[in-house]
Amino acid sequence: MSAVTDRLPVFPWDKLTPFKQTASAHPDGIVDLSVGTPVDPVPEVIQKALVEAADSPGYPTVWGTPELRDAITGWLTRRLGARDVTHRHVLPVVGSKELVAWLPTQLGLGPGDRVALPRLAYPTYEVGARLARADHEVYDDPTTLDPEGLKLLWLNSPSNPTGRVLPKEDLTRIVAWARAHGVLVFSDECYLELGWEADPVSVLHPDVNGGSYDGIVAVHSLSKRSNLAGYRAAFLAGDPAVLGPLLEIRKHGGMMTPAPTQAAAAAALHDDDHVRVQRERYATRRAALRTALESHGFRIEHSEASLYLWATRDEPCWTTVAHLADLGILVAPGDFYGTAGNTFVRVALTATDERIAAAVDRLG
């Protein structure tokens, strides 16, 4: 086992434990803005679908029910502007983190292969490369990378942690470059429905991909937009030549989304009203937190989308973490996401209205 664990970095969230203890000692309790886990209720229409599918004694299928695939293709067409998507273009997965961590292995990557990820990025992209024994490297502009041996390119727009949105023109240029060099693109778009000062665009949009899904796959999750982190519901969409083999591998591995979750996911994708309601909640919390942080001396960079504010006081990130912990507020240090985040912290919008109000009061 040590041969595997030795490839992995220290689990970053463990480093926050003493700061969580400090924040928890605040007389009015902790305001946890670190992990970004949803706290609002699962929408009733989704709970109802889950309950109605509770009597599911048989094994679910890895590819998902036809009803779920219909819901995914309908959403891709309606929300992302994708064209001519069929069941062959989609694949449910057991939450997006599982997919990110095991994708390089399932693609057959190994020593000598390279995986590229943004300079500031979700740590699991690197973990996936390490598990496969592949090399990994970071980029500011992926088209400046040496394509030799580059097998997998991760895009992330809107970004976790920064909230940055890649313009349509940049996505188009990157997809064209990757295709010209035979590099597979996986685009993590889990925050796409949470654009604030920008309108995020998917790589599945025909203006980006020229009407072809060759060499591109988008990753989507219901965790944030539908408060379904506990359900582990996500899916892939894109090139059937990539998804077909992944489906076969995942069949052998038994990577099945539970049947009640599949029914709940279909209900979530058919209903846009609950997404609008949840967006309004986050917009209100975001405005209050941003104003309070800026009044407290923070500068907010990017953050035009997603569920986070990327904030700095131009000091080491752990100094900022300690300062906020003394106020009973727990945030994530920027260096969790790469050395370029050494002077930033990531502040999540995922707390109740009451806890957000408490944070605003303390920052004041």
Side-chain angles (χ1 to χ4, degrees):
M1 288 300 296
S2 64
V4 177
T5 56
D6 287 350
R7 296 180 219 153
L8 303 177
V10 175
F11 188 64
W13 295 99
D14 292 343
K15 300 178 186 178
L16 267 183
T17 298
F19 300 94
K20 186 172 185 177
Q21 292 171 344
T22 298
S24 298
H26 190 280
D28 187 37
I30 188 174
V31 178
D32 192 342
L33 307 179
S34 61
V35 177
T37 186
V39 298
D40 298 303
V42 174
E44 191 171 326
V45 65
I46 302 174
Q47 293 193 48
K48 183 173 183 289
L50 183 83
V51 170
E52 290 178 350
D55 186 14
S56 297
Y59 289 112
T61 64
V62 173
W63 199 17
T65 62
E67 292 78 15
L68 175 56
R69 284 178 261 142
D70 282 342
I72 294 172
T73 57
W75 181 84
L76 293 169
T77 302
R78 183 177 75 251
R79 178 62 186 89
L80 303 190
R83 296 177 185 166
D84 302 320
V85 283
T86 70
H87 287 195
R88 295 175 57 250
H89 292 91
V90 302
L91 177 62
V93 294
V94 192
S96 57
K97 184 170 185 176
E98 167 264 305
L99 180 280
V100 172
W102 293 107
L103 178 66
T105 299
Q106 291 177 8
L107 291 174
L109 305 191
D113 296 324
R114 292 162 51 231
V115 176
L117 49 132
R119 188 170 301 281
L120 283 165
Y122 183 44
T124 312
Y125 301 142
E126 177 183 332
V127 167
R130 288 176 176 269
L131 285 171
R133 292 194 176 99
D135 296 325
H136 65 275
E137 60 186 291
V138 299
Y139 65 79
D140 295 307
D141 179 349
T143 65
T144 64
L145 295 169
D146 179 359
E148 182 67 28
L150 181 59
K151 297 298 179 65
L152 174 61
L153 170 62
W154 278 109
L155 302 180
N156 181 209
S157 176
S159 164
N160 173 17
T162 69
R164 181 188 176 201
V165 172
L166 291 175
K168 183 190 296 183
E169 296 74 20
D170 285 356
L171 287 172
T172 303
R173 175 176 57 84
I174 293 167
V175 167
W177 176 87
R179 283 175 169 166
H181 295 286
V183 178
L184 177 61
V185 173
F186 264 69
S187 179
D188 181 347
E189 302 175 352
C190 290
Y191 296 91
L192 186 136
E193 294 205 272
L194 295 165
W196 311 114
E197 291 141 8
D199 187 14
V201 178
S202 172
V203 295
L204 302 179
H205 195 284
D207 288 353
V208 172
N209 61 43
S212 167
Y213 301 117
D214 291 350
I216 57 172
V217 177
V219 182
H220 284 274
S221 168
L222 303 185
S223 293
K224 304 303 195 291
R225 51 92 76 186
S226 297
N227 300 333
L228 294 190
Y231 284 43
R232 310 315 301 137
F235 60 90
L236 307 179
D239 191 346
V242 177
L243 299 187
L246 283 178
L247 172 60
E248 294 305 312
I249 292 165
R250 294 173 69 83
K251 283 180 181 178
H252 283 289
M255 295 180 170
M256 301 172 283
T257 303
T261 295
Q262 292 189 31
L269 289 166
H270 281 306
D271 181 72
D272 294 330
D273 289 341
H274 77 274
V275 180
R276 175 185 52 79
V277 170
Q278 190 60 45
R279 275 181 54 86
E280 290 172 356
R281 290 188 184 120
Y282 284 136
T284 300
R285 294 167 186 168
R286 179 179 181 273
L289 267 179
R290 180 167 194 151
T291 298
L293 287 166
E294 290 175 336
S295 297
H296 197 75
F298 282 90
R299 185 177 74 255
I300 308 298
E301 291 195 1
H302 297 302
S303 306
E304 59 260 30
S306 83
L307 282 183
Y308 313 103
L309 293 170
W310 189 238
T312 182
R313 298 202 306 172
D314 295 310
E315 65 186 6
C317 59
W318 287 99
T319 301
T320 307
V321 169
H323 168 72
L324 291 174
D326 288 339
L327 299 178
I329 301 169
L330 188 67
V331 298
D335 66 1
F336 276 11
Y337 309 95
T339 56
N342 283 345
T343 60
F344 286 82
V345 292
R346 194 194 72 170
V347 184
L349 311 179
T350 50
T352 64
D353 292 343
E354 183 273 332
R355 288 290 82 188
I356 294 291
V360 169
D361 181 65
R362 296 173 196 183
L363 290 166

